[in-house]
Amino acid sequence: LLVYAAAFGVLARALPLAALMASDRALFHASYDERQAAHAERMRFAASGSLSDWLADLRAYEHYAAGAQPRLQHVSRATVRDVKAHVRTLRDALSLTGLASSADSSASSSANANADDDAVLRALVFAGLSPSIVRVRVPPQRYQEVSGGAVGVDHEARELSFYLADMFGASAGWQTHDVRSDVRVFVHPQSTMFAHAAYRVPFVTCFAMTSSAHAAKVYLRDVTAPGVFALLLFGPPLSVDREHRVVAVGATGAVAVRAWPRVAVLVNHLRRLLDELLRRKLEDPALPIAGHPVVDAVLELLRTDGL
C-alpha cells in the first residue's frame, strides 16, 4: 500500500491510513449504551461519500489529531496513540528504503500532490487487501408508473446481497464457476456502508469478517467500495473471453466484468509497465517517477474509472 502511495502522491494520508489498518484497536470505542452515539459520530465522516469505512476513520483521526471542533467524544485515545506510533515506524521504514524522506510526510510535499483524492486512496486500500473481493448482487430494476410513462425506483440497502468470491479454488471459466461455492455475507450494522445502496461497481473489499453468536451470519467489517479499474489494475491476473466480451479477474471465474477485450489487453500492459517502473524505483530510490506517463495513466483511470 505504501509503495503505491509514494508513487501516486498520497503518502501523507496513506501513512495514518496504513497505521489505522495496523492497529488492533478500533478508532471509535463506546460502551453498549453509547454505541449508537458513537456510530452517529463516525457517520459524520462518511457523509461526503467516502464509500469506505477506512476513509471515514481516516477523516475522523485527522479531525481529532488536528484538535478541530467539535471535539469527538467517542474516539479512543489509546488508538490515536497507537496510530501515531505506527506512523513514525512506517515513516522510518520508508526512509530506510529511500522511497520517502521525512519531508515527504508533509501534506505540502510533491509526494502528496494527490493526497485529497479519495478514489486513489480507495484503490490503494483495495491493493493492500486484494484479493479480498465481495460481489454485490443487485436485484432487477423496478419501475414506477408516472403520468409520462415509468421511472426507475432506487433499490434499498436491504434488497442487496453480498457474496464472498472464491478466489482460491480450482481454475474455472467465468461461465462454469459454481456460485454455490461463494459464501453469503452481510455488511455489519456498525459499518458506515450498512445503509449504502448505490453501488456503481458491484463489488467491495473488506478488512475483516466476524460471525454472529446469535445467528448463522458472517459480517463484513471495514468495507471499501473501490472502482472497477482498481479491480482490474490491482486485483488477481486477468483473462479475457473475447467471444462474450467478458474479463475474468482471477483463475476461479468468481469475479467477471463485461468489457471490450482491448480494455483487458491495455490494462494488462499497463500493469506490466507499472510493475517494471516500481521495480526500477525500488532498485534506485532516487529515480523520479512523479509525472511519469505510466503513473499519470493509472491515476487518470482510478480517478475517472475509465469514464
Side-chain angles (χ1 to χ4, degrees), residues 251-286:
T252 65
V255 176
V257 296
R258 291 202 174 275
W260 290 96
R262 64 174 178 268
V263 172
V265 173
L266 292 173
V267 168
N268 274 329
H269 186 57
L270 187 57
R271 286 172 65 147
R272 288 193 294 270
L273 292 175
L274 180 60
D275 288 345
E276 174 62 20
L277 181 63
L278 293 179
R279 183 192 64 79
R280 291 169 52 203
K281 177 67 174 177
L282 290 170
E283 291 179 350
D284 179 11

Side-chain angles (χ1 to χ4, degrees), residues 13-67:
R13 301 188 74 201
L15 279 168
L17 176 62
L20 283 164
M21 297 172 73
S23 176
D24 58 359
R25 297 186 178 101
L27 181 63
F28 286 88
H29 178 76
S31 64
Y32 182 83
D33 292 339
E34 296 182 336
R35 187 176 300 177
Q36 292 304 316
H39 181 62
E41 192 171 72
R42 188 188 191 195
M43 285 298 299
R44 283 173 42 202
F45 297 94
S48 58
S50 65
L51 300 179
S52 171
D53 287 329
W54 288 119
L55 292 196
D57 284 353
L58 176 62
R59 290 173 178 173
Y61 169 80
E62 292 169 337
H63 180 98
Y64 186 92

Side-chain angles (χ1 to χ4, degrees), residues 45-287:
F45 297 94
S48 58
S50 65
L51 300 179
S52 171
D53 287 329
W54 288 119
L55 292 196
D57 284 353
L58 176 62
R59 290 173 178 173
Y61 169 80
E62 292 169 337
H63 180 98
Y64 186 92
Q69 298 294 333
R71 295 293 293 175
L72 302 181
Q73 302 301 314
H74 300 286
V75 167
S76 166
R77 292 183 176 85
T79 303
V80 171
R81 287 195 299 269
D82 282 352
V83 170
K84 290 181 177 179
H86 286 318
V87 167
R88 289 192 294 269
T89 300
L90 292 170
R91 184 189 300 123
D92 292 344
L94 281 175
S95 297
L96 287 174
T97 65
L99 288 174
S101 66
S102 59
D104 287 338
S105 60
S106 168
S108 61
S109 166
S110 60
N112 298 295
N114 304 302
D116 294 329
D117 199 319
D118 285 351
V120 176
L121 286 169
R122 288 196 302 271
L124 295 191
V125 169
F126 174 74
L129 300 178
S130 179
S132 175
I133 302 174
V134 177
R135 289 188 293 104
V136 183
R137 184 174 296 173
V138 181
Q141 179 67 60
R142 293 182 290 110
Y143 295 90
Q144 180 178 358
E145 293 287 343
V146 295
S147 58
V151 295
V153 178
D154 292 337
H155 296 294
E156 298 180 17
R158 59 184 177 84
E159 297 179 281
L160 308 181
S161 54
F162 299 81
Y163 294 86
L164 181 63
D166 177 17
M167 305 303 295
F168 301 101
S171 297
W174 67 274
Q175 290 176 301
T176 58
H177 173 72
D178 187 356
V179 296
R180 292 173 298 181
S181 63
D182 297 338
V183 179
R184 175 79 184 271
V185 291
F186 301 83
V187 177
H188 196 278
Q190 292 300 311
S191 169
T192 62
M193 299 289 287
F194 178 70
H196 187 72
Y199 288 92
R200 191 166 60 85
V201 179
F203 81 94
V204 298
T205 186
C206 68
F207 185 72
M209 290 176 284
T210 57
S211 299
S212 170
H214 307 290
K217 289 185 177 181
V218 176
Y219 287 103
L220 305 176
R221 291 181 177 272
D222 304 319
V223 176
T224 295
V228 68
F229 273 91
L231 174 69
L232 298 179
L233 286 165
F234 302 125
L238 308 179
S239 58
V240 184
D241 182 340
R242 297 178 182 276
E243 180 182 354
H244 296 92
R245 297 176 184 172
V246 169
V247 178
V249 182
T252 65
V255 176
V257 296
R258 291 202 174 275
W260 290 96
R262 64 174 178 268
V263 172
V265 173
L266 292 173
V267 168
N268 274 329
H269 186 57
L270 187 57
R271 286 172 65 147
R272 288 193 294 270
L273 292 175
L274 180 60
D275 288 345
E276 174 62 20
L277 181 63
L278 293 179
R279 183 192 64 79
R280 291 169 52 203
K281 177 67 174 177
L282 290 170
E283 291 179 350
D284 179 11
L287 177 70

